[in-house]
Amino acid sequence: MALPFHVSVMSAASLANHIDELADVLVDCVQGGASVSFMLPFAHSQARDFWHGVAQSAAREERVVIVAQDEAGRIVGTVQLITAQPDNQPHRADVSKLLVHRSARRGGVARELMSLLETEALKRGKNVLVLDTATGSNAERFYQRNEWQRAGEIPRYALNPDGSYCATTYFFKQL
C-alpha cells in the first residue's frame, strides 16, 4: 500500500524552515549507500550545510526544489531542477539529487517528484533534461522504466559512500 503524500515546489524562503527535514532525507540516503556526492561517515551537520547552499541557490533562482511530504507534513523525498545553464543552452536543465527516504520508497514518491519536475521544467521553457546516476543502481532502473534515454556510461566516475568506485550512467529526456 502506497504511503499517502503530496508533492510541491518549495519556495526558497520555505527551504530555510525545512533544512533539518531535508538533511534527514539526505543522511538516510547516504547511509543507505546512495552515491549522491557524499562519503561515510556523513554527519547531519554536513547535510545541513549542503541544504543551506541549495536554499541560497534557489533564492537566486538557479534551481527549483520539489519535495514530497507525508500526511503529517514531514518531508520524505526531494528532487532539484537546475535551471541555471550556459547562454547556449537556455532550453536545457539538469536533474539533481532525487532522494527518497528509505521508509517511503516503493510508494510512487520518486515518480511523482519527477512528474512535477517535468511540469516545472516546461513552465520554465526547459525541454531537454539531463542527469547522471550510479550504474547498476535502483535509480538507474527507475529512469529506464520512466522513459529516460540512456546516453552512455563512464567507468570509475565517482566513489560510493563506502569508498568503492562506481560508474555513472548519463540519461536525457526530451519533453
Side-chain angles (χ1 to χ4, degrees), residues 111-124:
R111 186 176 52 253
E112 291 302 315
L113 285 166
M114 292 301 288
S115 178
L116 182 54
L117 179 135
E118 290 178 18
T119 298
E120 292 298 320
L122 287 169
K123 282 184 188 176
R124 290 162 174 77

Side-chain angles (χ1 to χ4, degrees), residues 17-95:
N17 297 324
H18 293 279
I19 295 290
D20 283 322
E21 291 175 75
L22 290 160
D24 289 344
V25 173
L26 179 56
V27 168
D28 178 73
C29 290
V30 173
Q31 288 178 346
S35 179
V36 290
S37 305
F38 302 101
M39 303 299 292
L40 293 173
F42 184 60
H44 196 265
S45 61
Q46 291 172 279
R48 285 179 51 80
D49 289 346
F50 169 78
W51 283 108
H52 279 294
V54 168
Q56 292 169 353
S57 178
R60 292 188 301 268
E61 298 184 1
E62 298 168 339
R63 69 184 65 220
V64 177
V65 179
I66 299 168
V67 298
Q69 293 174 284
D70 66 15
E71 288 182 312
R74 184 178 67 101
I75 295 174
V76 295
T78 183
V79 68
Q80 298 171 48
L81 178 71
I82 312 298
T83 56
Q85 300 296 331
D87 287 347
N88 68 340
Q89 299 169 43
H91 60 290
R92 185 180 74 75
D94 292 333
V95 176

